[in-house]
Amino acid sequence: QVQLVESGGGLVQAGGSLRLSCAASGNIFRINAMDWYRQAPGKQRELVASITSTGRTNYADSVKGRFTISRDNAKNTVYLQMNSLKPEDTAVYSCSGRIYKNYYDYSDYWGQGTQVTVSS
């Protein structure tokens, strides 16, 4: 069984920073792309940032230049550094990863989410 556990959320003032972590554990052979999503109340879930196993990144236009995704493959962990936070960044942030249990078999896993609240 595989688990993704996020941490690092909280309450911050506009202009502040937070760093989210998502650690994968369990029966892991390798991890392909890892993603951060967010969902604000009454809104659809949004892909915030992605990172491939080789470190190639992609960002939503709304966070480019402010957020940075990174990963530590030795620790099976992905990070999201969020700077210059705005009230509209308030949401539940969740990580997702495509995780292989052997060379061929994989599943997509999700963490439980962590709340980020940005006050104005």
Side-chain angles (χ1 to χ4, degrees):
Q1 188 68 4
V2 172
Q3 281 190 318
L4 297 181
V5 178
E6 298 104 335
S7 60
L11 173 64
V12 65
Q13 287 189 331
S17 298
L18 283 174
R19 188 192 194 208
L20 305 183
S21 299
C22 172
S25 62
N27 183 19
I28 299 171
F29 176 69
R30 64 183 170 92
I31 304 176
N32 273 11
M34 298 191 78
D35 310 310
W36 282 100
Y37 287 81
R38 67 185 180 187
Q39 187 165 22
K43 294 188 177 181
Q44 287 190 334
R45 187 170 61 196
E46 173 189 21
L47 176 61
V48 175
S50 297
I51 186 167
T52 67
S53 58
T54 56
R56 189 169 69 246
T57 59
N58 191 41
Y59 298 92
D61 287 343
S62 57
V63 306
K64 280 181 182 176
R66 300 188 298 122
F67 291 11
T68 302
I69 189 171
S70 60
R71 64 192 287 170
D72 185 333
N73 291 331
K75 296 181 178 179
N76 290 329
T77 299
V78 64
Y79 305 96
L80 186 68
Q81 178 67 43
M82 305 185 295
N83 299 328
S84 302
L85 282 162
K86 305 175 181 180
E88 51 263 42
D89 294 319
T90 295
V92 175
Y93 285 71
S94 302
C95 66
S96 174
R98 174 156 292 185
I99 298 175
Y100 284 71
K101 63 178 181 180
N102 54 47
Y103 195 84
Y104 299 104
D105 300 319
Y106 68 87
S107 296
D108 293 329
Y109 293 90
W110 289 83
Q112 81 287 355
T114 185
Q115 176 70 45
V116 171
T117 303
V118 184
S119 63
S120 57

